Amino acid sequence: ATEMTVDQQVALNESCRQFGVKFIAADALGLLGAIFVDCGPSHAVSDVDGERPKRGLIQDISGGVVKVAAEARHGLSSGDYITFEEVKGSQGLNGAKAMPIKYKDAFSFTIPEAADGKGGYFQQVKQGTTMKFEPLKSCLASPTIASDMGEGTTLHCLYNALSAFKKETG
């Protein structure tokens, strides 16, 4: 939805929600812009960040602590899931189902199994999640504002004032 007043966007968003239709509103008013996305109360997401899954060379695994090859940051975070390939000395890890990791530092992480091994690769496995979106009407009361121009609340008020002016003047 573009070039509509906020009231019109709210009405259209409510209709979309009623019929299970995703809703996107975007406006550019001079230097001011606004974007709103409503994918409904339950939206399945298979890839949260859109980044390519991380893969890395393993130096060694000792007691469940995985160290990556020297000078190579693994780029993982606690809660990420990985699988292993070609690890020597720990056949149980190779081809096992994806397991969560805990971040230790930029060059190492821990796994739930107290395994040992040398070499091989880790491969990040993206996990899906379900996101909950709120309708436009409730978000207008307490908006999430991304702004590089100082106080976002002021910009939100300005946007609403411009919408009201547009409604009055056509």
Side-chain angles (χ1 to χ4, degrees):
T2 61
E3 297 185 20
M4 300 173 90
T5 66
V6 172
D7 290 342
Q8 291 170 324
Q9 290 176 352
V10 167
L12 182 56
N13 178 232
E14 287 173 353
S15 293
C16 287
R17 275 192 154 248
Q18 183 179 356
F19 294 103
V21 175
K22 293 169 180 43
F23 175 82
I24 299 173
D27 272 322
L29 305 170
L31 295 176
L32 182 64
I35 298 173
F36 177 79
V37 177
D38 179 1
C39 291
S42 180
H43 179 68
V45 177
S46 60
D47 183 354
V48 178
D49 63 9
E51 298 290 326
R52 180 175 291 179
K54 294 171 180 55
R55 180 176 173 83
L57 182 62
I58 297 169
Q59 181 177 331
D60 67 58
I61 304 171
S62 178
V65 177
V66 180
K67 293 180 184 173
V68 296
E71 306 288 327
R73 296 174 181 267
H74 56 73
L76 299 170
S77 300
S78 289
D80 284 346
Y81 279 71
I82 61 164
T83 57
F84 292 95
E85 302 168 17
E86 301 179 31
V87 176
K88 295 175 182 73
S90 185
Q91 296 302 326
L93 290 178
N94 294 326
K97 70 177 191 169
M99 63 183 72
I101 66 108
K102 283 189 180 176
Y103 180 91
K104 187 169 181 189
D105 60 43
F107 304 99
S108 62
F109 54 87
T110 61
I111 57 174
E113 295 186 26
D116 296 311
K118 293 241 182 254
Y121 300 91
F122 73 84
Q123 175 71 44
Q124 182 184 25
V125 178
K126 298 285 185 135
Q127 301 294 303
T129 188
T130 301
M131 298 178 73
K132 180 183 178 202
F133 289 78
E134 296 293 328
L136 179 56
K137 188 173 186 174
S138 64
C139 290
L140 287 171
S142 58
T144 301
I145 301 170
S147 170
D148 292 335
M149 297 177 59
E151 181 59 42
T153 305
T154 304
L155 294 173
H156 178 65
C157 291
L158 176 60
Y159 178 79
N160 286 334
L162 287 170
S163 178
F165 177 77
K166 187 177 186 180
K167 181 179 178 181
E168 283 183 27
T169 61

